Amino acid sequence: MAAPGNVSVIFILSGIPELEDHQDFLAFPLCLLYVVSLLGNFTILVIIRTEESFHQPMYILLAMLAMTDIGVSLTTLPTVLGIFCFNYDQIHLDSCLTQMYFLHTFAAMESGVLVVMAVDRLIAIWDPLRYSSILTNPVIGKIGLGIVLRGLCVVFPIPFLTRRFPFNKSHLLSHSYCLHQDVIRVAGADTTVNSIYGLVAVLMTKGVDSMFIVISYILILKAVLDIRANSARLKAFSTCVCHICAVLLFYIPLIGLSLVHRFGKNTSHLLPILMADVYLLFPPVINPVIYSMKTKQIRQKIAKVFNSRKLRTIDNKIAVLKV
């Protein structure tokens, strides 16, 4: 149930404080970030979809990670580019709540995918002979469905809990998109229920996931140290490098942002904004770059695709010249 007067509530989104006069100059790099993010993740999806040899758990999980990154990018894109490219900084309450829901849902899904990828690496190193029989494609499909349902259900109450507040205190938000912590900050009522449920939701998703990731890597490290040959140790652990980078890039800004929002009342107002931007804008850009560079099979396939296109272009030009 909506609070009286909320029908016409319009929030004012913020760019980057102290750089308002330079927002036009930030438009190009931000557009470039989104192009790299969407192009990189869609490329990975197309390659995994079309290449039959990639229809196995490790690559299917990578495709799931790419899909969550695309979801995050498409959710933040309208308001971020609206501010920096068109100087449009307004968003209606319902649009804000919708963006907030999908943003937190995709983040919860990405967290779930990262924990399954950690378990995937654990089984591959701990018991490689049974890997293909434990993590079959149907099993990965069921796990993927569970990740989606968990994200949708855990975040579902938050927009409804938020919509009941009267927003007569302030309409100015701190970010270029709607985050739950930021929206309830400007609510003109007691937000204890939202704060408690938000904390519970984080613990149920990212808290549990981070615990399983830590446990998985402790077991991975133990298994790697049990390998006698140094070259085999290095080879086994190198398969985890991309995933470790993805985990650090996702969790470090997330933990910092949560701590600052809840306990950092006296910190610089610029700090949570920069942390939120790193948390939401950079993983979708860097994840496909890391996996493309470090995964030999994907790197070779991308090179093959671009080389074949170049050869076709040359052949077409030759054919035109002959005519």
Side-chain angles (χ1 to χ4, degrees):
M1 184 175 178
N6 272 359
V7 178
S8 59
V9 169
I10 295 177
F11 292 113
I12 306 299
L13 298 168
S14 302
I16 299 178
E18 302 171 12
L19 293 178
E20 291 87 351
D21 297 334
H22 305 284
Q23 285 189 169
D24 293 340
F25 296 101
L26 294 173
F28 177 74
L30 282 171
C31 288
L32 186 61
L33 282 177
Y34 279 109
V35 169
V36 172
S37 169
L38 295 174
L39 183 62
N41 285 295
F42 272 118
T43 299
I44 286 178
L45 283 178
V46 170
I47 287 175
I48 293 174
R49 174 68 180 84
T50 55
E51 186 65 34
E52 195 170 340
S53 61
F54 289 164
H55 295 176
Q56 47 186 296
M58 183 178 74
Y59 297 108
I60 293 173
L61 289 172
L62 178 55
M64 290 165 61
L65 182 66
M67 283 189 283
T68 59
D69 282 337
I70 289 171
V72 170
S73 293
L74 291 178
T75 303
T76 58
L77 185 146
T79 51
V80 172
L81 295 191
I83 291 172
F84 289 96
C85 294
F86 306 104
N87 292 319
Y88 186 79
D89 58 0
Q90 298 182 2
I91 184 169
H92 192 273
L93 173 64
D94 289 336
S95 299
C96 183
L97 295 178
T98 301
Q99 183 185 52
M100 182 178 71
Y101 173 72
F102 282 106
L103 203 51
H104 289 293
T105 297
F106 281 120
M109 290 180 188
E110 182 158 353
S111 177
V113 173
L114 288 173
V115 73
V116 180
M117 293 177 87
V119 174
D120 169 79
R121 291 299 83 206
L122 172 62
I123 296 173
I125 294 172
W126 192 272
D127 197 356
L129 296 179
R130 296 180 57 203
Y131 173 80
S132 58
S133 62
I134 296 173
L135 283 180
T136 61
N137 288 351
V139 169
I140 293 297
K142 292 176 183 177
I143 292 173
L145 179 61
I147 290 172
V148 172
L149 292 176
R150 185 190 69 162
L152 292 172
C153 294
V154 169
V155 184
F156 186 75
I158 290 179
F160 298 98
L161 290 172
T162 306
R163 203 179 194 283
R164 62 194 174 91
F165 294 129
F167 291 98
N168 48 21
K169 178 181 174 183
S170 170
H171 293 167
L172 180 63
L173 301 180
S174 304
H175 302 286
S176 306
Y177 31 77
C178 295
L179 293 176
H180 178 235
Q181 307 98 308
D182 195 27
V183 174
I184 64 173
R185 179 183 59 82
V186 299
D190 183 13
T191 60
T192 302
V193 173
N194 279 62
S195 296
I196 292 173
Y197 185 80
L199 182 60
V200 170
V202 169
L203 292 176
M204 287 172 61
T205 54
K206 295 148 189 144
V208 172
D209 292 345
S210 60
M211 181 182 69
F212 277 110
I213 289 173
V214 169
I215 292 172
S216 296
Y217 271 99
I218 290 173
L219 295 175
I220 286 172
L221 189 60
K222 184 178 183 301
V224 169
L225 292 176
D226 288 339
I227 300 174
R228 293 184 179 181
N230 289 332
S231 58
R233 281 183 185 177
L234 186 61
K235 184 178 179 180
F237 198 72
S238 66
T239 62
C240 304
V241 171
C242 294
H243 182 255
I244 292 173
C245 293
V247 168
L248 294 177
L249 193 62
F250 180 83
Y251 276 101
I252 289 178
L254 168 64
I255 294 170
L257 181 63
S258 299
L259 291 174
V260 168
H261 268 297
R262 285 177 170 80
F263 307 111
K265 304 297 182 183
N266 298 321
T267 59
S268 169
H269 64 287
L270 189 60
L271 185 61
I273 295 170
L274 293 177
M275 282 185 172
D277 289 341
V278 171
Y279 163 54
L280 292 171
L281 300 182
F282 281 87
V285 175
I286 297 177
N287 284 342
V289 174
I290 292 173
Y291 277 97
S292 298
M293 291 176 60
K294 294 294 293 181
T295 307
K296 183 180 178 182
Q297 293 86 342
I298 291 179
R299 189 171 67 247
Q300 289 176 340
K301 182 62 179 176
I302 292 174
K304 185 179 177 181
V305 168
F306 281 102
N307 286 335
S308 63
R309 287 183 179 178
K310 184 187 266 188
L311 288 173
R312 282 199 301 269
T313 303
I314 294 172
D315 290 341
N316 290 336
K317 287 181 178 179
I318 293 173
V320 170
L321 290 173
K322 284 182 178 180
V323 171

